[in-house]
Amino acid sequence: MRRLRRLVHLVLFCPLTKGLQNRLPGIKVKYLFLAWLGIFVGSWVVYMHYSSYSELCRGHVCQMIICDQYKKGIISGSACSDLCDKHTLVFQQCLSPSPTKQVYSGVWKGKAVIIKCGITESLKAENNPDTAPRRELVLFDKPTRGTSMDEFREMLLNFLKGNLGDQPSLAGLVSQIITMADVNQDGKVSLAEAKSIWALLQLNEFLLMLSLHEKEHTSKLLGHCGDLYLTEKIPHSSLYGTEVPPFLRPLLPSALHRLIQQWFAPAWPRRAKIAIGLLEFVEEVFHGTYGVFYICETSSANVGYNAKFDFKMADLGKVAPEAAVRAFLKGRHCEQNADCTYGQDCTAPCDRLMKQCKSELIQPNLAKVCGLLKDYLLSGTPADLQEELQKELQICMTLSGLASQMEAEGLNWLHSYLNSLLQRGQNTPRKGL
């Protein structure tokens, strides 16, 4: 026993060799620093996540305000009873991008849904109790009591003309809006029903969903209550299948971010199918039933796909009617092209001589989409197709917004070309998850 204790003492406490003695302090400091850095970064990430959660996620506030107005008879909608009386419309995971735009996943009638609600006015009211009724009075102030159905139809038509342009097909859209507003299907539109549908039309995404409702690549509108509305849930709301959380992106080098995206992306034939769907969506909005639409934030986070790898536009709020973009640009003062930007990337040239924005965009939808698809499609492309595909995408990215006929022809050609590539690459082994 004594020998054993002596052996332990020698191992633990005997003088170390000179080389190890010299290295040990450096090793200790290095690992202590790394441990401290790991704890600091982890704590910072957790703090930022949870401190922003309480501000971003205010679904309970949204629900409280909507139900209060519903019970007062101010608003109506197909989802009101389930939300406020039966409580069968359930809020689940918070997906809100900002405090004023509440987005939640949820369940309604046994179906997975996305719930969207804006609470700009209610947030102001919280800071100043005297303004609490303001949202009722301002947001749901039209139409006023005594408005006839003919007057309401005229209101809707003028509103649509101002936002979508003077299209011959708008009368049909007005009839569709009236039908949606008539929740109890009694052939009449009550004041609460009219106020609810009017408030919803002020939301760009809702207006776009109505305008593109016939298109297979947009989310379906399922129901509403006041200015809260429900859409179908898209299983994959990002082009790559998953997105790095926003609070982690600043910590990752861009190369590592791209590597993570490519790792989780579907196999190449499935990516090609999704890309074909995206091109079909560009075709649909190029000259749609209700005019031309521009994609004004071309990002992988705004486009997704379903379980069958069919493309779905995840966020129609990033799409804008041509009429809205032209109204923004008309007579706008500028010093450079950046001053003529609607949204994130709908940019028109600046006339340096006149100091005013021109009306045509520099890049059409197709050129921006080809830029988005370049990294998405070229990674993992079958070797015999890669050079050819890279060349065609590069040509597509150089399209000008002034060449609308060329864009239409390029769109049709690229759609057919990707279909043929998909057939040729169909048997390629899967390289993603």
Side-chain angles (χ1 to χ4, degrees), residues 366-387:
L366 181 58
K368 292 189 286 187
V369 163
C370 285
L372 182 64
L373 291 177
K374 186 179 176 184
D375 287 341
Y376 186 67
L377 284 178
L378 290 178
S379 173
T381 307
D384 58 325
L385 307 178
Q386 189 161 26
E387 186 177 346

Side-chain angles (χ1 to χ4, degrees), residues 72-370:
K72 288 177 180 177
I74 296 168
I75 61 173
S76 181
S78 56
C80 288
S81 178
D82 290 330
L83 176 68
C84 305
D85 297 332
K86 301 174 185 174
H87 304 290
T88 52
L89 171 55
V90 182
F91 285 66
Q92 292 183 327
Q93 185 185 0
C94 174
L95 307 169
S96 304
S98 73
T100 59
K101 186 179 180 182
Q102 293 298 294
V103 182
Y104 277 76
S105 64
V107 176
W108 187 47
K109 297 180 178 179
K111 199 180 286 186
V113 297
I114 294 295
I115 306 165
K116 299 191 177 184
C117 174
I119 56 172
T120 309
E121 295 298 337
S122 64
L123 285 174
K124 291 178 182 176
E126 279 186 3
N127 296 328
N128 184 1
D130 295 335
T131 64
R134 186 169 182 263
R135 193 170 189 264
E136 291 177 12
L137 298 174
V138 175
L139 185 58
F140 299 109
D141 62 341
K142 292 181 181 178
T144 55
R145 189 174 296 279
T147 302
S148 69
M149 274 304 300
D150 288 339
E151 288 171 333
F152 186 50
R153 282 181 180 274
E154 191 66 26
M155 274 178 67
L156 291 173
L157 185 60
N158 290 334
F159 173 82
L160 294 175
K161 283 180 180 178
N163 285 272
L164 301 177
D166 194 356
Q167 311 291 334
S169 53
L170 290 183
L173 186 56
V174 169
S175 298
Q176 180 197 331
I177 293 169
I178 295 287
T179 303
M180 180 180 290
D182 183 14
V183 177
N184 55 10
Q185 299 179 341
D186 61 355
K188 302 173 184 177
V189 177
S190 68
L191 185 60
E193 289 171 339
K195 284 186 173 185
S196 296
I197 204 71
W198 182 261
L200 282 167
L201 287 171
Q202 312 310 308
L203 306 174
N204 181 60
E205 185 179 27
F206 184 87
L207 178 61
L208 268 290
M209 290 184 81
L210 281 182
S211 306
L212 301 170
H213 74 283
E214 298 171 344
K215 312 303 181 186
E216 63 175 303
H217 300 299
T218 57
S219 298
K220 302 304 177 192
L221 189 62
L222 301 178
H224 72 280
C225 180
D227 64 338
L228 175 149
Y229 61 102
L230 316 174
T231 69
E232 66 173 327
K233 185 176 182 180
I234 300 171
H236 304 279
S237 57
S238 163
L239 196 59
Y240 287 92
T242 187
E243 282 288 319
V244 175
F247 59 87
L248 280 180
R249 284 176 206 161
L251 304 175
L252 298 178
S254 56
L256 180 58
H257 188 198
R258 282 197 301 272
L259 186 65
I260 292 171
Q261 285 183 321
Q262 289 163 6
W263 178 259
F264 285 99
W268 190 85
R270 290 171 173 172
R271 272 182 279 149
K273 182 184 178 184
I274 295 164
I276 289 168
L278 175 51
L279 292 174
E280 288 171 353
F281 176 75
V282 173
E283 284 183 272
E284 289 168 357
V285 301
F286 182 65
H287 281 300
T289 310
Y290 304 111
V292 177
F293 297 86
Y294 297 126
I295 302 171
C296 289
E297 188 175 326
T298 318
S299 162
S300 62
N302 298 327
V303 294
Y305 56 92
N306 63 17
K308 296 180 180 178
F309 299 94
D310 297 318
F311 169 80
K312 291 284 184 179
M313 190 69 188
D315 189 355
L316 276 176
K318 309 303 181 185
V319 178
E322 181 184 40
V325 176
R326 286 185 180 275
F328 171 82
L329 294 171
K330 187 177 180 181
R332 190 175 185 82
H333 176 80
C334 64
E335 298 291 338
Q336 53 188 346
N337 289 354
D339 299 328
C340 305
T341 302
Y342 182 96
Q344 184 170 304
D345 55 19
C346 281
T347 304
C350 174
D351 186 327
R352 304 287 174 87
L353 188 62
M354 300 294 293
K355 303 285 186 183
Q356 281 193 348
C357 298
K358 295 182 179 179
S359 59
E360 297 292 338
L361 298 185
I362 295 172
Q363 266 194 316
N365 287 334
L366 181 58
K368 292 189 286 187
V369 163
C370 285

